[in-house]
Amino acid sequence: MKRAKKTIISCALTGSVHTPSMSPGLPVTAEEMVEQGTAAVEAGAAILHLHARDPQDGRPSPDPEVYRPFVSALAHGTDAVINITTGGAITMTVEQRLAAALEFEPEVASLNMGSINFNFAAAAAKDREWLHEWEKPYVLGSRGSIFANSFTQIETTLQLLGKERGTRFEFECYDVGHLYNLAHVVDLGLAEPPFFVQTIFGILGGIGADLDNLTHMVSIADKLFGEDYYLSAFGAGRAQMTFATASALMGGNVRVGLEDNLYLGRGELAKNNAEQVAKVARLLGELGHDIATPDEARAMLALKGRDSVKV
């Protein structure tokens, strides 16, 4: 692993797993995305990981025109690294998942490195008043769905976004096999170091939120990539801050945000993304870590520059 001299904080603002009924803090509209994204950068986030939602009912949206207002505002109004998902949602086609990143050609795009069961149906077991008719069936539907990320999809994304548009990637690895999938496409010449390897723990269908699994993932990544990669890690839900701290102590980077966890502490919903960024920045400071600025993150990850984003 290439140890981070300064720690990159990524903030995943909204994602596609949680629904509006689960938290009033979850950003849905472009205005909410801009407000929360700007505040997250001010709190210490260098990278903003972006999904879009239909502003009328909050369902995940692949439409580049839904992305455009907040991607443009955040790209021009902050110095953050813009990271657009290619994961989208489990209900989207491959073409839909790629549409926004192909349109805006961001500095970074997320790329899931293998197909998995991605089951978040347990969220429907909690008693709540659903605000929109689509939410409960969508959540329950995850139990019977496979989140497809075939080698054809991965290689196509690396070619279209990486080779042809200069976008680099947040390689999302939900299990050990995904590291080997990354090594495979590296051997094909489709990705070049430094790799930004985002290890993910606690998704039902992926590797569990056990710190021994983080140690194991790092051990395998070290064998496969040596010092050609930067580690980042996050734990879903209650494991969020535990894995952020552990990643930082190992010399890695961190990711927080309401995509991954709706809470700030036990039983306390986060009011917004900036609260989580401020909390992890405070923890990192207590550990003696310096926080990377967006430009320092750009230099570390060899990004093409903020002016290259087409907004």
Side-chain angles (χ1 to χ4, degrees):
M1 178 203 316
K2 188 184 291 289
R3 293 182 68 87
K5 294 180 180 179
K6 295 190 176 183
T7 306
I8 297 170
I9 299 175
S10 294
C11 183
L13 294 180
T14 196
S16 62
V17 171
H18 298 126
T19 71
S21 298
M22 297 177 187
S23 172
L26 189 72
V28 169
T29 66
E31 292 77 11
E32 291 166 344
M33 291 288 287
V34 173
E35 179 182 1
Q36 292 207 30
T38 301
V41 175
E42 291 171 350
I47 299 176
L48 296 177
H49 173 108
L50 304 177
H51 289 242
R53 293 178 179 270
D54 185 314
Q56 300 304 315
D57 64 7
R59 74 178 70 217
S61 174
D63 186 351
E65 295 310 311
V66 176
Y67 276 86
R68 190 179 301 279
F70 64 83
V71 171
S72 179
L74 291 170
H76 293 299
T78 76
D79 60 350
V81 174
I82 299 299
N83 174 353
I84 295 179
T85 181
T86 67
I90 59 175
T91 53
M92 295 177 188
T93 66
V94 176
E95 292 76 17
Q96 287 175 323
R97 287 164 55 179
L98 280 173
L102 289 175
E103 176 74 15
F104 301 116
E105 303 182 15
E107 293 185 81
V108 177
S110 66
L111 179 56
N112 299 297
M113 292 310 297
S115 299
I116 61 169
N117 293 316
F118 198 118
N119 184 352
F120 49 94
K126 184 175 181 180
D127 288 335
R128 60 166 51 89
E129 181 178 347
W130 297 95
L131 300 174
H132 306 288
E133 54 80 23
W134 67 271
E135 294 180 81
K136 188 173 183 179
Y138 172 79
V139 172
L140 288 173
S142 68
R143 187 172 58 187
S145 301
I146 294 173
F147 190 22
N149 298 283
S150 69
F151 279 108
T152 296
Q153 291 173 237
I154 293 168
E155 292 167 20
T156 299
T157 301
L158 288 168
Q159 180 64 39
L160 293 179
L161 277 178
K163 292 296 186 180
E164 297 180 14
R165 290 168 171 81
T167 295
R168 293 181 66 81
F169 296 92
E170 174 195 14
F171 292 105
E172 296 199 335
C173 297
Y174 294 79
D175 218 327
V176 177
H178 295 181
L179 296 172
Y180 287 93
N181 294 351
L182 175 55
H184 171 71
V185 295
V186 171
D187 288 343
L188 293 178
L190 290 173
E192 296 80 29
F195 311 115
F196 189 43
V197 178
Q198 184 71 256
T199 54
I200 300 166
F201 303 86
I203 299 298
L204 184 56
I207 200 165
D210 185 316
L211 288 176
D212 285 344
N213 287 333
L214 173 59
T215 303
H216 181 52
M217 292 278 274
V218 170
S219 176
I220 298 301
D222 284 347
K223 291 178 181 179
L224 293 173
F225 310 116
E227 293 190 358
D228 281 345
Y229 80 102
Y230 285 103
L231 171 73
S232 185
F234 74 87
R238 70 185 67 181
Q240 183 183 66
M241 293 299 166
T242 299
F243 274 82
T245 304
S247 179
L249 288 172
M250 297 179 77
N253 304 281
V254 304
R255 176 172 135 175
V256 294
L258 297 184
E259 171 173 349
D260 308 325
N261 175 33
L262 294 174
Y263 289 81
L264 188 64
R266 185 184 297 273
E268 180 188 0
L269 285 169
K271 295 182 180 67
N272 51 56
N273 281 277
E275 285 193 330
Q276 290 186 355
V277 175
K279 181 175 180 176
V280 81
R282 185 168 62 252
L283 289 171
L284 292 170
E286 293 292 335
L287 295 171
H289 289 244
D290 293 325
I291 308 302
T293 67
D295 281 342
E296 288 168 338
R298 288 183 173 94
M300 290 168 63
L301 302 177
L303 303 183
K304 59 184 179 176
R306 62 181 296 196
D307 292 340
S308 64
V309 182
K310 294 188 180 303
V311 288

